Amino acid sequence: MKVLPFTALAVKVTEPILPAMLMDGELQEMFLNGVCLDGVTPGGRVVVAMSGGVDSSVCAALCQRAGYDVVGITLQLYDYGQAIQRTGACCAGADIYDAKQVASGLGIAHYVLDYEDRFRATVIDEFIDDYLAGSTPIPCIRCNQTVKFEDLLATARDLEAEALITGHYVRRVTRQMRAELHRAVDPQRDQSYFLFATSMEQLDFLRFPLGHLEDKSATRALADVFGLPVASKPDSQDICFVPDGNYGQLIDRLRPGAVEPGDIVDQDGRVLGRHHGIVHFTVGQRRGLGLSGPEPLYVLKLDATLGQVVVGPKAALGRRHIPIRDANWLDHLPPMDGRQVRAQIRSTHSPIPAQLAIVEGGLCAVELKSTQEAVAPGQACVIYDGERVLGGGWIARAMG
């Protein structure tokens, strides 16, 4: 890990008190007094993971206003220009600059840490490996699991911080002296799906000041009254190291020759056409197959061994049995066979009723109460009890 030198223009943060008075009571209180962090000593040191976006910037402002000793850390994770070989493209650099501006205006310490090698090894390389193996990975979860909540958390401890603060829209609830992970108040902004792999030890150290806000407009309102220069900055929509959404092009550049063409076949193995590489497909996909027939065809399976894309009718997509691997469990009670829960199989889906299926004391599978389409290996299956995250794992394969 290297600390990168970075010089930024000091920006004075103005505080428009009159607009703050027009906010509702909760937001006005947050603007005037900041945020109280459960279990953190008043005035104690906290580290804020500052991405350069509005969410983490508001977290830094709230902690600073509350009187905590705030240290902002921004991670240099990748070279955007190298990732897509576009001269002058430096999205990551712009985000670092924005984070530095915010920190300078707030008058807090700020460091930029070079985690590029670690990010490449644990996130980008695994992302490529998974796609080549026929899975549909979620690199944001792996980044949270390793780089952010493992490496950055260790750095925060080295700095003698009492907590690591992030702008994720989730809630950390303490019950019976134990920390629990809960969905955000705003279901449209909830990010608990991406944090299922958080360990209990990590959750004890993490704080999420924004999870109780009603919606994103509240965050932007706070950013505006704090005078933050990123108040109107758009949210990021794509995977950070693939901002143009072209996964195949990224894999071609970083693993030349790894993507190979193959056959598109039906469920009986009959060849219907050809494809340019399974990395261009995911289970449930309809567009881009280049096939015509009496009924629409969908991707049912990706067979990396044979290099085949298996297609079939929409009815064949339905699954109820979801085997999972590398499970993480956040409840203090062990998983029980037959326990009634809710399960979410894609970040864009809502949790639905399900029950756990246990083999030899370990979380093995989830049985959904209703059939779901587009169950893709490599995606996460996250398990809830009401609003609480019980844990989850990676979808291993889709079986009927």
Side-chain angles (χ1 to χ4, degrees), residues 118-131:
R118 170 71 164 154
F119 186 74
R120 172 66 186 264
T122 61
V123 179
I124 298 180
D125 284 347
E126 183 172 303
F127 172 83
I128 294 173
D129 290 341
D130 285 346
Y131 257 111

Side-chain angles (χ1 to χ4, degrees), residues 171-240:
R171 290 178 296 144
R172 179 186 179 276
V173 176
T174 301
R175 288 180 178 170
Q176 299 180 342
M177 305 298 291
R178 297 177 184 271
E180 299 177 356
L181 185 64
H182 287 238
R183 290 170 61 86
V185 169
D186 179 7
Q188 301 302 315
R189 304 298 304 182
D190 174 62
Q191 294 174 304
S192 60
Y193 180 85
F194 297 98
L195 300 185
F196 85 87
T198 305
S199 70
M200 286 299 302
E201 181 182 6
Q202 291 166 348
L203 188 58
D204 284 340
F205 197 70
L206 290 161
R207 301 294 186 275
F208 311 103
L210 305 183
H212 68 285
L213 295 180
E214 292 294 334
D215 53 41
K216 182 60 176 274
S217 65
T219 306
R220 292 200 180 277
L222 286 168
D224 186 53
V225 296
F226 275 120
L228 302 181
V230 295
S232 60
K233 183 176 180 178
D235 293 336
S236 58
Q237 299 294 330
D238 298 304
I239 294 174
C240 68

Side-chain angles (χ1 to χ4, degrees), residues 6 57 63-64 82 87 97 127 143 186 227 254 286 373 384:
F6 199 94
S57 297
C63 291
Q64 191 267 352
Q82 181 181 15
T87 302
Y97 181 81
F127 172 83
C143 183
D186 179 7
L254 297 182
R286 176 184 173 187
E373 299 173 352
Y384 297 86

